[in-house]
């Protein structure tokens, strides 16, 4: 018979306690001795009885040792697992809602920033505002010699503007906010932004955005005070201007579904940085009247036999403008003939065609460039310009813009090859 002080080991075998513990009497040993022996059947009966006496579950977890869980294994009753799962799902729902709210707020912020970055639509200026900005139209006009190409340099509502005066088209649509908004929705880097318009009697005033320090292409090519000076003194700068104008016209024809109608060196504005070119007078063909017969006959940019604006007329005018860029000369000038003792009108088309036939394009190009230009690229541009200015079978502006852009890229590569290397050192000291 085992002693009451025996202890149980992990192998479920009973090992006797030390002799001193076995022989030492303890308090309450009589009660232990009088307690009946515990058998498996009596343990099952006692557990069933305690289960009957346990109150019904009320939804609150019990604090008895059988339902508490503090180990690393799974919980016996599952209550702790359910509580942890509910807390984690609540945390995930809170994180999801916070992330969705933050993304919605960031989306609203980006949309507001995009709306703020959009340019304002063109407006209808009152005539009194234009008169105040130009000193009652007494200020000196810049640009070309004709009335349609000259402009007032002024400030309208805090923005530098170039104000052009045109003749209104008889029977044309009314110049209202909807018509201006239809034109103002087209944007391109090669088109000057239309700020607004003002119909006043028989005239129409169009205001375009004028970058700081901008000048017309005619002023950049030929300075009346110093004929030997030009702002476009490199080959790449001139081809860059040609590519900008070609891409702007291609956008007008095939994306805006309109025509320009007033392509000339006075309608192109060149500005820093990079001497980029922009076309003005976009929208003048819709509201403004075409040039009169006298001006069309004298204009070297007007296609023969054409009086109304059209895509073919724009292509012809671009061909003349391209030859003007390459030669640096006016598209038409008068030269005194000593044989006949009279002045003869010489066109840049005639001189370019003669140079292309005789193989003298190198000597025909603007002498202020020196010999710092690729001759093959110049010959190809002359060929493109002559094809644009042909009397018939003129190419499409998409083809012209592609050819000019390709020559521009090749010219950039040519310029990079001619740059002086900077990663070298020169020593003049004796060895």
């Amino acid at each position: 018979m085992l002693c009451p002080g025996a202890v149980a080991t992990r192998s479920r075998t009973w090992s006797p306690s030390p002799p001193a513990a076995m022989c030492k009497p303890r308090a309450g040993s009589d009660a232990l001795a009088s307690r009946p022996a515990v058998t498996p059947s009596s343990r099952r009966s006692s557990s069933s009885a305690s289960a009957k006496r346990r109150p019904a579950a009320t939804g609150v977890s019990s604090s008895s040792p059988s339902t508490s869980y503090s180990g690393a294994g799974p919980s016996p009753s599952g209550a702790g697992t359910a509580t942890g799962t509910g807390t984690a799902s609540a945390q995930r729902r809170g994180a999801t809602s916070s992330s969705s709210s933050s993304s919605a707020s960031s989306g609203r912020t980006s949309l507001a920033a995009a709306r703020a970055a959009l340019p304002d639509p063109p407006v209808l200026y009152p005539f009194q505002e234009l008169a105040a900005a130009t000193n009652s139209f007494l200020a000196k006009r810049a640009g070309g010699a004709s009335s349609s190409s000259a402009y007032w340099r002024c400030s309208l509502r805090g923005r530098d503007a170039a104000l052009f005066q045109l003749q209104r088209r008889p029977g044309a649509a009314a110049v209202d906010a909807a018509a201006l908004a239809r034109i103002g929705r087209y944007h391109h880097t090669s088109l000057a932004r239309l700020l607004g318009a003002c119909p006043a009697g028989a005239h129409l005033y169009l205001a375009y955005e004028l970058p700081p320090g901008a000048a017309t292409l005619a002023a950049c090519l030929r300075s009346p005070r110093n004929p030997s000076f030009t702002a476009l003194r490199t080959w790449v700068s001139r081809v860059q201007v040609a590519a900008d104008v070609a891409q702007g016209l291609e956008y007008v024809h095939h994306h805006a579904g309109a025509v320009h109608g007033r392509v000339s060196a006075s309608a192109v504005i060149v500005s820093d940085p990079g001497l980029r070119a922009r076309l003005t007078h976009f929208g003048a063909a819709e509201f403004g009247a075409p040039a009169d017969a006298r001006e069309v006959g004298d204009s070297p940019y007007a296609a023969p036999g054409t009086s109304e604006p059209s895509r073919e007329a724009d292509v012809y005018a671009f061909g003349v403008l391209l030859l003007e860029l390459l030669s640096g000369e006016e598209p038409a000038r008068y030269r005194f003939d000593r044989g006949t003792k009279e002045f003869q009108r010489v066109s840049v088309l005639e001189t370019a065609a003669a140079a292309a036939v005789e193989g003298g394009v190198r000597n025909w190009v603007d002498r202020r460039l020196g010999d710092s230009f690729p001759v093959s690229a110049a010959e190809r541009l002359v060929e493109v310009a002559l094809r644009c200015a042909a009397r018939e079978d003129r190419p499409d502006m998409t083809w012209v813009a592609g050819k000019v852009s390709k020559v521009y890229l090749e010219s950039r590569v040519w310029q990079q090859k001619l740059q002086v290397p900077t990663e070298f050192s020169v020593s003049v000291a004796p060895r």
Side-chain angles (χ1 to χ4, degrees), residues 47-353:
S47 62
S48 60
S50 62
K52 291 179 181 180
R53 291 192 302 270
R54 187 178 301 154
T58 59
V60 180
S61 59
S62 175
S63 59
S64 62
S66 62
T67 58
S68 62
Y69 175 68
S70 60
S75 173
S77 61
T81 306
T83 305
T85 305
T87 305
S89 60
Q91 291 178 354
R92 285 195 298 269
R93 287 195 298 269
T96 304
S97 61
S98 62
S99 63
S100 61
S101 61
S102 62
S103 62
S105 61
S106 63
R108 288 192 295 268
T109 304
S110 61
L111 181 60
R115 288 177 178 175
L118 290 176
D120 298 331
V123 298
L124 283 173
Y125 293 108
F127 183 77
Q128 293 78 8
E129 184 176 356
L130 300 184
T134 57
N135 190 18
S136 298
F137 300 97
L138 297 177
K140 186 179 179 180
R141 301 171 72 175
S146 62
S147 59
S148 60
S149 58
Y151 63 91
W152 287 280
R153 187 187 295 266
C154 59
S155 178
L156 296 174
R157 302 183 183 183
R159 295 179 178 178
D160 295 335
L163 184 63
F164 295 89
Q165 182 186 29
L166 307 175
Q167 295 289 331
R168 293 190 65 180
R169 178 188 292 271
V175 183
D176 53 2
L180 289 179
R182 185 175 65 254
I183 296 179
R185 67 183 179 180
Y186 298 107
H187 302 281
H188 195 271
T189 56
S190 299
L191 295 179
R193 178 185 166 193
L194 179 63
L195 298 179
C198 175
H203 295 92
L204 173 66
Y205 298 91
L206 296 178
Y208 295 90
E209 185 179 14
L210 186 65
T216 61
L217 178 58
C220 292
L221 288 176
R222 294 173 297 274
S223 175
R225 297 183 178 180
N226 188 4
S228 61
F229 172 78
T230 175
L232 304 174
R233 56 183 179 272
T234 63
W235 169 259
V236 176
S237 63
R238 301 202 182 191
V239 184
Q240 172 73 77
V241 171
D244 289 341
V245 176
Q247 292 172 4
L249 284 178
E250 193 270 339
Y251 178 83
V252 170
H253 288 178
H254 300 282
H255 297 275
V259 296
H260 191 274
R262 296 178 183 269
V263 179
S264 65
S266 300
V268 178
I269 293 179
V270 182
S271 62
D272 285 332
L275 296 177
R276 302 304 297 268
R278 298 180 183 180
L279 271 170
T280 60
H281 290 81
F282 176 56
E286 182 174 354
F287 303 115
D292 54 11
R294 182 181 58 83
E295 189 174 350
V296 169
D298 294 339
S299 176
Y301 301 99
T306 303
S307 59
E308 292 293 330
S310 61
R311 295 184 179 182
E312 291 76 11
D314 287 346
V315 174
Y316 181 91
F318 176 76
V320 177
L321 179 65
L322 182 56
L323 295 177
E324 185 179 358
L325 265 171
L326 298 177
S327 64
E329 300 289 342
E330 296 182 2
R333 65 184 189 275
Y334 289 90
R335 183 175 58 185
F336 182 73
D337 190 357
R338 295 182 179 180
T340 60
K341 304 297 181 180
E342 294 179 355
F343 286 94
Q344 294 182 354
R345 190 172 185 265
V346 180
S347 173
V348 68
L349 288 173
E350 300 173 358
T351 58

